[in-house]
Amino acid sequence: MSAPKILVFSGSWREGSLNTKLATLAAKRLRAAGGEVRQISLGDYPLPLVDATGFSTTPQVAHDLHAVIDAHDGLYIASPEYNGGYAPALKNALDWASVAKGGPSASGLAGKVVALGGASPGERGAYRGMTQLRTSLELGFGALMVPEMVAIATAHKAFDDAGELVDARNNGFLDKQVARLIKLAALDI
Ligand SMILES: Cc1cc2nc3c(=O)[nH]c(=O)nc-3n(C[C@H](O)[C@H](O)[C@H](O)COP(=O)(O)O)c2cc1C
């Protein structure tokens, strides 16, 4: 069986982003678990705010983003939490990719397996935002979701200088989630 192809990205691409740290570590663990992994920055896919005019005039960047997503079996997304929701820039990018794909609603990520992580300096580790993102990905995009979600609380203290998680429980959650993503992404769903 060939290695499952996993695309990894963060909903934040600012310098020092805690979610990019989590995405980078997830990419490393996914590779170690046998995945063929590519990590991208959504900052390399600059897009205007999406609306329905996008169906008639879709920017090339949206096609590029859809193509890179489509070339993978699974996604690992690390999402910041903003006011209890998830990052609007992330939603914008995913919506554009679905517009570029076309087709019926609830099919933007059909056939893809998605795992979610989130990192925040707060106590809940972006968990509230992830629950909303999860609902949208499942019901709106038609993705198959990995049950485990990794929420890194007090994330500004959660990583060491090598980018590894210092807390054993966080490490355990991430490993369990990564193993499940690899297993599910290898299936023909
Ligand atoms: C507009 C805004 C709203 C925020 N709301 C929340 C929130 O509801 N919960 C939370 O834990 N952190 C919140 N934060 C803090 C972010 O979690 C923090 O800035 C985090 O570092 C962003 O992710 P990043 O490091 O990957 O860029 C908010 C930040 C911004 C800019």
Side-chain angles (χ1 to χ4, degrees):
M1 199 195 305
S2 59
K5 295 189 175 80
I6 311 290
L7 185 68
V8 180
F9 53 87
S10 163
S12 167
W13 48 94
R14 69 177 185 89
E15 207 181 321
S17 160
L18 299 167
N19 287 280
T20 301
K21 271 191 192 177
L22 176 57
T24 303
L25 181 59
K28 186 175 160 186
R29 299 275 174 94
L30 284 159
R31 263 182 216 110
E36 189 183 319
V37 180
R38 178 170 174 195
Q39 185 175 358
I40 58 167
S41 168
L42 292 182
D44 292 335
Y45 297 83
L47 285 158
L49 286 176
V50 69
D51 66 24
T53 57
F55 286 112
S56 46
T57 47
T58 311
Q60 183 55 45
V61 171
H63 289 293
D64 295 345
L65 182 58
H66 166 246
V68 73
I69 289 173
D70 207 41
H72 291 79
D73 305 303
L75 309 179
Y76 191 103
I77 304 175
S79 174
E81 179 174 285
Y82 293 154
N83 293 311
Y86 59 97
L90 175 61
K91 179 81 161 73
N92 194 55
L94 291 170
D95 284 344
W96 267 120
S98 78
V99 167
K101 181 176 180 185
S105 63
S107 72
L109 290 173
K112 308 294 176 197
V113 183
V114 182
L116 293 182
S120 149
E123 294 301 320
R124 297 186 193 92
Y127 197 84
R128 294 173 303 175
M130 272 192 285
T131 60
Q132 294 173 20
L133 177 55
R134 179 186 188 90
T135 303
S136 171
L137 290 169
E138 205 161 28
L139 302 181
F141 288 85
L144 177 69
M145 300 303 296
V146 167
E148 294 83 7
M149 299 197 293
V150 169
I152 307 297
T154 51
H156 53 304
K157 298 179 193 159
F159 298 91
D160 66 17
D161 290 345
E164 293 288 338
L165 286 164
V166 293
D167 180 77
R169 248 161 56 102
N170 282 339
N171 268 308
F173 283 143
L174 182 60
D175 282 340
K176 201 170 165 194
Q177 182 193 40
V178 156
R180 180 98 74 176
L181 176 55
I182 292 289
K183 215 181 258 184
L184 290 176
L187 302 175
D188 187 16
I189 58 162

